[in-house]
Amino acid sequence: MAATTTIEVPHLGGITVGYALSGVYDAKKPTCVLINSMCTTVALYKDQFASKALTSAVNLLAIEPLGHGATKSKTEHFTYWDTAVMALQVMDKIGIDKAFALGTSQGGWMVARMALLAPDRISGLILLGTSMDYESADSRSKGCWDPKTLLAPFYEKWSVPTPDFLVDDVWCGMVGSLGFGTGATPEVIQFWTDTLKSIYTGDEGRKKLKMALACLLERDGLLLRVRDITCPVYWLHGTADVPFGTTIPAEQIKLFTSSKEATLSFVEGGGHYLNATNPKEVEAALLQMVNKYT
């Protein structure tokens, strides 16, 4: 479900941000910000929050992006850059000066933006099942999906005021099947269907979902910018990642030319939401980075 705790930050005239923190914040431990994938919530990181090995070593701070979960803004329009600023302001509010940042799918686009906006505050990036490009023709020619063709009809449908709006089962099913792959059990699909229907309801829910989709369909690429990211980057990618395949990550990791370390690891059989389909591999990579760069 959506986050049950919120915090107020000033960006965009005021945002109520849904978040989850692994226990009481401990300033003596390093912190890792976690940003979830499209239409999921902090619940995507349940395996990470349940890991004693991880939470004993690191403060986990999961933040729901604009258009997601319990996060609400006063303005209807926003971009991934706004979520990056918002997340940095959440760090400010909690009293976190520096943090590692992990992003799943679209979360990867947001944490990369955090590293560009505040290079002195992001100690390292863990990128999971993502791409640094927009949904370009070049990406599609290399095995990436075509969301504009697939998802534009939803955007058109959601552009009409609908007081009794409730996100449909088709959309909910795609969130589960594209993200979890073979791990999309009936129980997983039902959990995320219930979660989405509790968030994207009524006309405010319609507008929230519409703008989350607009961000995905119209986002800007970062291929010319990632050379300016100086922190270490560990990119983990499942071999069964449906939206982004395996060609793009191998090309794009080479663009992090200023990073202290930039590595790509393919996880055999891993799905798109890699922290959910392969939590052990993700935990190992995060702990490796934290131990090396703290």
Side-chain angles (χ1 to χ4, degrees):
M1 294 299 175
T4 56
T5 52
T6 60
I7 195 168
E8 304 292 324
V9 300
H11 190 54
L12 297 181
I15 305 172
T16 300
V17 185
Y19 76 99
L21 188 61
S22 57
V24 177
Y25 172 65
D26 183 352
K28 296 178 181 179
K29 296 193 297 189
T31 296
C32 184
V33 172
L34 313 171
I35 299 190
N36 56 269
S37 54
M38 178 71 177
C39 284
T40 63
T41 67
V42 295
L44 184 68
Y45 296 107
K46 67 180 182 66
D47 289 326
Q48 285 69 48
F49 277 82
S51 169
K52 291 184 179 179
L54 200 52
T55 57
S56 64
V58 186
N59 298 301
L60 297 180
L61 172 59
I63 297 174
E64 293 173 335
L66 286 157
H68 294 73
T71 297
K72 299 178 182 179
S73 61
K74 291 184 178 180
T75 178
E76 181 177 347
H77 284 264
F78 47 79
T79 70
Y80 291 132
W81 291 99
D82 292 311
T83 286
V85 172
M86 178 196 83
L88 291 165
Q89 290 184 347
V90 171
M91 289 171 56
D92 291 337
K93 274 296 188 79
I94 296 175
I96 301 168
D97 181 40
K98 293 184 177 183
F100 296 89
L102 179 152
T104 304
S105 186
Q106 68 165 9
W109 313 331
M110 299 176 206
V111 297
R113 285 164 169 78
M114 291 174 70
L116 287 165
L117 291 173
D120 57 328
R121 302 190 65 190
I122 301 303
S123 302
L125 295 178
I126 303 283
L127 305 177
L128 306 177
T130 193
S131 166
M132 294 294 105
D133 197 6
Y134 70 100
E135 309 297 354
S136 67
D138 180 66
S139 289
R140 294 194 297 276
S141 74
K142 295 171 180 174
C144 295
W145 69 331
D146 181 8
K148 289 188 177 180
T149 299
L150 179 65
L151 305 181
F154 288 94
Y155 187 83
E156 294 302 324
K157 182 170 63 173
W158 297 339
S159 296
V160 179
T162 311
D164 59 349
F165 178 80
L166 185 65
V167 64
D168 61 69
D169 289 336
V170 174
W171 181 266
C172 295
M174 284 198 304
V175 170
S177 59
L178 285 173
F180 296 94
T182 57
T185 63
E187 292 78 15
V188 166
I189 295 295
Q190 190 61 55
F191 174 85
W192 287 108
T193 296
D194 293 343
T195 297
L196 267 65
K197 287 181 181 291
S198 71
I199 296 167
Y200 301 116
T201 180
D203 211 47
E204 288 304 309
R206 173 193 65 81
K207 290 188 285 187
K208 184 173 183 173
L209 181 55
K210 170 191 156 191
M211 292 314 302
L213 180 55
C215 285
L216 186 151
L217 295 178
E218 288 198 322
R219 77 179 186 279
D220 51 327
L222 299 176
L223 297 184
L224 295 180
R225 297 178 187 262
V226 295
R227 69 186 66 182
D228 295 327
I229 291 176
T230 56
C231 67
V233 177
Y234 290 179
W235 187 327
L236 280 70
H237 207 88
T239 59
D241 189 298
V242 174
F244 295 125
T246 56
T247 301
I248 283 295
E251 292 184 354
Q252 294 180 2
I253 192 64
K254 299 174 184 177
L255 301 179
F256 290 87
T257 54
S258 298
S259 295
K260 295 177 183 178
E261 180 184 12
T263 64
L264 170 66
S265 300
F266 283 111
V267 179
E268 186 63 35
H272 187 47
Y273 298 165
L274 198 62
N275 67 283
T277 65
N278 296 80
K280 291 183 179 179
E281 291 88 341
V282 170
E283 177 176 311
L286 177 53
L287 288 175
Q288 179 183 343
M289 176 175 280
V290 167
N291 290 332
K292 187 172 182 178
Y293 291 102
T294 297

